[in-house]
Amino acid sequence: MEFSPGISYFFGRLGQAFLAPGSHISLLSLSSALFIAFVVLAARRYRKGRRIRLKALLRALFPKHVVMSRSSMADLGYFFFNLFLFGIIFGWAIFSYETLSRNAERLLTAAFGPLPPAPLPGFVSRSIITVMLFVAYELGYWLNHYLSHRIPFLWEFHKVHHSATVLTPLTNFRVHPVYMCIFLNILAISIGLSNGVGDYLLGQQAAQFGLSETNLILVFFIYLYVHLQHSQVWISFTGWLGHVFMSPAHHQIHHSRDPAHFNKNMGSCLALWDWMFGTLYLPSAEREALDFGVEPDRAHAHTVRGELIAPFASAASVLKARLATWLRRAPRPPVERKPAY
Ligand SMILES: [Zn+2]
Ligand SMILES: [Zn+2]
């Protein structure tokens, strides 16, 4: 069957998203998340001495008020929109990962001289670079997320993600194109520089271990709990585990409307950066009652106008207000006085 190039591109992207095992939303990883959630909920019922009924578990996993909500519909819209747009936004990345990597290696060689090739087996070099690139991804993610919360202009675009009033794995895709564009550039810098340092130290161009071009450690976390971070299932890591790993409950707290939770838990898979920079909020072992969403009752919530176009206008208002304040504070030129005769 012949499709127009646009439709073929769309179905190609859709197939890649769901079928590539290393994709951020592969059917395999979604099944893994569903299985884990299923086991956790069943074990919880068993511990409380309640009967394990399939119907009750399915109701807990797919509550009607969540699945049919306007917020979930908006997530679905954003999923298809970003799926289509991602390749184009990727092209907007100002910073090229390869160029930065090459230049970092050259700079280090010019500054410290070339290092003899490390006598390491290929497996070890590849393992080291896999860990380095994963840590660089996590740091880039945290930094972009932190800036998006702390800089009012950027917050107007990131607010779209926080306007979700219910959380499903598709909420992960509810991100504004401007946010995505900045995120990809920050990632290109952190991963590119890290790769350059790795190439210099190891003395070879070791490739990371990956699945469908996604870092293998990141894939492991996607299969384990990343999908559940955007869900109603409370799985919390406490104690030292909660200082290192970003459990689903950590991220659910990040979406909370309680001011005590604002600007907390901004990591992706790791809680390490939040711990180090003082933005960690440890979830409790027992479920905490949380409400999600920023200004959920505002006009045009969950619509194209509200979630895609309005952020440009609100970000422009933020800039205008800042500019006005700056102009008020700027020193005025001295008034010319006429000489008195
Ligand atoms: Zn956020
Ligand atoms: Zn989120």
Side-chain angles (χ1 to χ4, degrees):
M1 207 191 302
E2 281 279 313
F3 288 120
S4 74
I7 294 176
S8 302
Y9 169 77
F10 181 73
F11 280 114
R13 300 273 315 144
L14 203 61
Q16 213 177 11
F18 285 124
L19 302 178
S23 147
H24 284 241
I25 188 98
S26 69
L27 288 178
L28 263 179
S29 64
L30 285 171
S31 311
S32 162
L34 187 62
F35 175 75
I36 290 168
F38 207 83
V39 170
V40 168
L41 290 184
R44 223 167 260 169
R45 286 182 80 89
Y46 179 76
R47 267 206 314 272
K48 287 179 183 167
R50 293 164 72 183
R51 271 180 59 204
I52 301 171
R53 291 203 332 251
L54 184 67
K55 211 171 157 190
L57 286 176
L58 286 176
R59 251 205 317 267
L61 285 170
F62 303 102
K64 206 171 166 192
H65 75 277
V66 170
V67 177
M68 302 308 289
S69 69
R70 286 182 66 222
S71 180
S72 291
M73 293 301 138
D75 290 359
L76 189 65
Y78 246 123
F79 168 69
F80 286 118
F81 177 72
N82 276 331
L83 196 68
F84 198 72
L85 206 70
F86 185 78
I88 301 164
I89 293 181
F90 208 78
W92 289 350
I94 304 161
F95 296 105
S96 152
Y97 156 79
E98 280 92 5
T99 313
L100 280 166
S101 173
R102 251 193 327 271
N103 285 336
E105 192 189 355
R106 272 186 206 147
L107 205 71
L108 287 169
T109 310
F112 305 108
L115 285 182
L120 296 172
F123 174 80
V124 177
S125 312
R126 291 190 69 186
S127 301
I128 293 172
I129 203 80
T130 307
V131 173
M132 283 180 76
L133 294 189
F134 171 70
V135 172
Y137 169 86
E138 285 291 311
L139 184 58
Y141 183 102
W142 186 89
L143 181 64
N144 172 64
H145 201 175
Y146 179 82
L147 296 176
S148 297
H149 274 258
R150 305 306 296 204
I151 299 175
F153 173 79
L154 297 180
W155 167 245
E156 292 304 324
F157 296 105
H158 181 51
K159 203 156 78 174
V160 170
H161 182 66
H162 284 269
S163 65
T165 48
V166 293
L167 302 179
T168 78
L170 287 185
T171 311
N172 208 14
F173 293 86
R174 187 191 181 114
V175 286
H176 198 277
V178 172
Y179 170 90
M180 190 55 124
C181 192
I182 296 166
F183 175 49
L184 289 176
N185 278 296
I186 289 182
L187 273 193
I189 297 171
S190 62
I191 297 179
L193 293 182
S194 173
N195 196 56
V197 172
D199 283 350
Y200 174 73
L201 292 176
L202 298 169
Q204 50 190 293
Q205 307 248 318
Q208 68 172 355
F209 288 115
L211 202 59
S212 333
E213 295 184 18
T214 309
N215 182 289
L216 201 60
I217 305 173
L218 181 58
V219 172
F220 170 75
F221 285 111
I222 292 173
Y223 276 65
L224 199 62
Y225 60 67
V226 167
H227 288 312
L228 297 172
Q229 291 175 336
H230 293 109
S231 78
Q232 317 290 312
V233 182
W234 185 265
I235 299 173
S236 65
F237 300 158
T238 55
W240 70 266
L241 207 62
H243 286 78
V244 180
F245 299 106
M246 184 69 53
S247 71
H250 277 75
H251 194 73
Q252 288 156 17
I253 282 176
H254 177 70
H255 277 265
S256 160
R257 273 160 65 187
D258 183 339
H261 300 151
F262 288 175
N263 305 327
K264 300 288 183 195
N265 300 350
M266 289 182 270
S268 171
C269 309
L270 301 180
L272 271 177
W273 309 115
D274 284 298
W275 183 24
M276 279 169 66
F277 298 118
T279 51
L280 180 67
Y281 187 103
L282 269 188
S284 58
E286 290 303 312
R287 185 187 187 91
E288 295 175 41
L290 302 173
D291 285 323
F292 305 128
V294 177
E295 304 163 4
D297 304 322
R298 75 191 190 289
H300 314 298
H302 314 301
T303 64
V304 172
R305 183 173 166 185
E307 311 294 4
L308 192 63
I309 300 163
F312 286 108
S314 41
S317 306
V318 168
L319 271 192
K320 217 171 123 189
R322 280 289 149 116
L323 197 67
T325 316
W326 182 76
L327 284 175
R328 264 202 304 276
R329 279 196 202 142
R332 288 160 195 268
V335 181
E336 241 180 70
R337 288 174 190 277
K338 283 189 178 163
Y341 293 106

